[in-house]
Amino acid sequence: AGATLGATGSLFLGLGVISGFWAFVGAGSACFLVLALSSADGKTTSVKLILSGMIVNALLTAFSNFIIAVAGDSDGMSIKFWTMGSLTRAGWKNIGLITLIVLAAAVFFRTQAQTLDGLMLGEEAASTIGINTFRCRLVYLLVLSVLTGALVSVCGTIGFVGIIIPHVSRAIAGTAHRKLLPIAALSGGLFMLWVDAIARSLIPNTELPVGIFTALVGAPFFVYVMVRKKYGFGGN
């Protein structure tokens, strides 16, 4: 939502040439706002992090919708289509920088596999084994801000992939991040290829936003995860 607001705001103000920069600024600002809200009383928990994310997401989405509402017809429609997510702009001319950013982030998190395993134990348990949870979250959110801002500036907002793929990957690879991260990356790429193929072929001569299809799949999946009483992260 932060990257969307930054990019749509830059497009609305006629700064489309540097929309990628503003998408990064929006994503980074949103991440730090979530971190600040979730640690307001000095202790961050997963539940507080999720609730803070929902609040910030709703607020920034409202600002983005306001921009779409006050924009002109042509600008409003282009921004509205872009916020639904599309791979139309994908091409060799703009994939170079994105590839470097994605690879750098993948390598970084691969080196953090052991720390990520420790964070799954919970705030107190992770602290007892020497993990600085606040610093880790801060660094991880910064890296993810760069990654998210770069991707959103090119393909727009594509939601629910980050909910579907990690859970499916945990069912395949278990909870150890050394195995989980590469499988999640490969699964996410394959999933988006199939979704994009459906979006391009469902209606002849029309390409539908891929964000619509990821939401149609992701929302029921999220409900399933929420209501399944015995669900665990790759466990029984």
Side-chain angles (χ1 to χ4, degrees):
T4 298
L5 178 60
T8 54
S10 68
L11 290 174
F12 177 65
L13 296 174
L15 304 175
V17 177
I18 55 173
S19 61
F21 169 75
W22 289 110
F24 162 66
V25 172
S29 301
C31 285
F32 285 117
L33 182 58
V34 169
L35 188 61
L37 287 175
S38 63
S39 59
D41 61 352
K43 184 178 180 181
T44 303
T45 63
S46 298
V47 174
K48 290 170 61 179
L49 200 62
I50 293 173
L51 291 176
S52 299
M54 294 175 64
I55 294 170
V56 173
N57 178 78
L59 178 63
L60 300 185
T61 299
F63 280 118
S64 296
N65 290 334
F66 174 77
I67 292 176
I68 295 173
V70 300
D73 291 339
S74 58
D75 291 336
M77 288 303 295
S78 62
I79 293 175
K80 187 174 183 178
F81 181 82
W82 180 82
T83 56
M84 295 180 183
S86 174
L87 301 182
T88 304
R89 295 179 58 190
W92 294 111
K93 63 181 180 180
N94 57 15
I95 199 176
L97 180 59
I98 299 298
T99 301
L100 292 176
I101 293 175
V102 170
L103 288 177
V107 171
F108 170 75
F109 282 111
R110 184 66 171 76
T111 64
Q112 300 294 305
Q114 188 173 359
T115 303
L116 290 168
D117 291 340
L119 289 174
M120 290 188 65
L121 299 174
E123 185 86 12
E124 295 182 359
S127 298
T128 59
I129 59 176
I131 297 177
N132 188 329
T133 57
F134 180 80
R135 185 180 64 183
C136 286
R137 286 196 176 99
L138 192 64
V139 173
Y140 295 164
L141 286 175
L142 178 61
V143 175
L144 290 173
S145 298
V146 177
L147 180 62
T148 303
L151 293 174
V152 170
S153 67
V154 174
C155 61
T157 304
I158 302 175
F160 287 99
V161 181
I163 294 177
I164 301 171
I165 299 303
H167 287 83
V168 173
S169 299
R170 281 190 176 95
I172 298 173
T175 58
H177 285 82
R178 190 172 296 277
K179 295 180 179 180
L180 176 62
L181 289 172
I183 290 179
L186 179 61
S187 301
L190 292 174
F191 176 76
M192 286 310 305
L193 284 175
W194 280 105
V195 171
D196 185 50
I198 295 173
R200 293 173 185 267
S201 59
L202 187 63
I203 300 178
N205 302 320
T206 302
E207 180 180 350
L208 299 173
V210 293
I212 294 177
F213 293 96
T214 58
L216 289 175
V217 176
F221 184 87
F222 189 43
V223 173
Y224 167 74
V225 171
M226 292 287 289
V227 300
R228 186 178 176 185
K229 296 181 179 179
K230 295 184 179 179
Y231 178 80
F233 287 101
N236 294 324

